[in-house]
Amino acid sequence: MPTPDGTGPYATSTGQELISIERARQLQQKAITVQRDDAIHRVGALAHHAACYEEHGADPQPPPEWPGDDLEWRPQRNNVAALVRAGALYQAEIDRLQHRLQRIVLRIDHARSDEPS
């Protein structure tokens, strides 16, 4: 299933709905997890990819600033699809940061519970 682009069955969907559909597609069809994203992406990498899609997502070639690391450039059908892809990648970056924060809080809590009273 391609990125929803605001046409066909998605013609009446809001931007928020389209981004949620795309993020769900990434998680389910591509078997992407927040843990995987946290393990393989440096801080800000997903947001950098998102910014490239936001500005150049319908272009056939990746922009010069495309990191070219583990994510392949996939031109989108139109500007709506490009923004939807960008929004889902921004959401993935937020989820990754939240996951990292939860891990840090758990480590702090664990260290506190090991301290003598």
Side-chain angles (χ1 to χ4, degrees), residues 63-74:
E65 63 270 21
W66 182 253
D69 50 11
D70 57 330
L71 289 180
E72 178 184 337
W73 178 255
R74 296 187 180 188

Side-chain angles (χ1 to χ4, degrees), residues 7 18 53 79 81 89 111 114:
T7 64
L18 293 171
Y53 273 109
N79 289 333
L89 286 166
D114 289 344

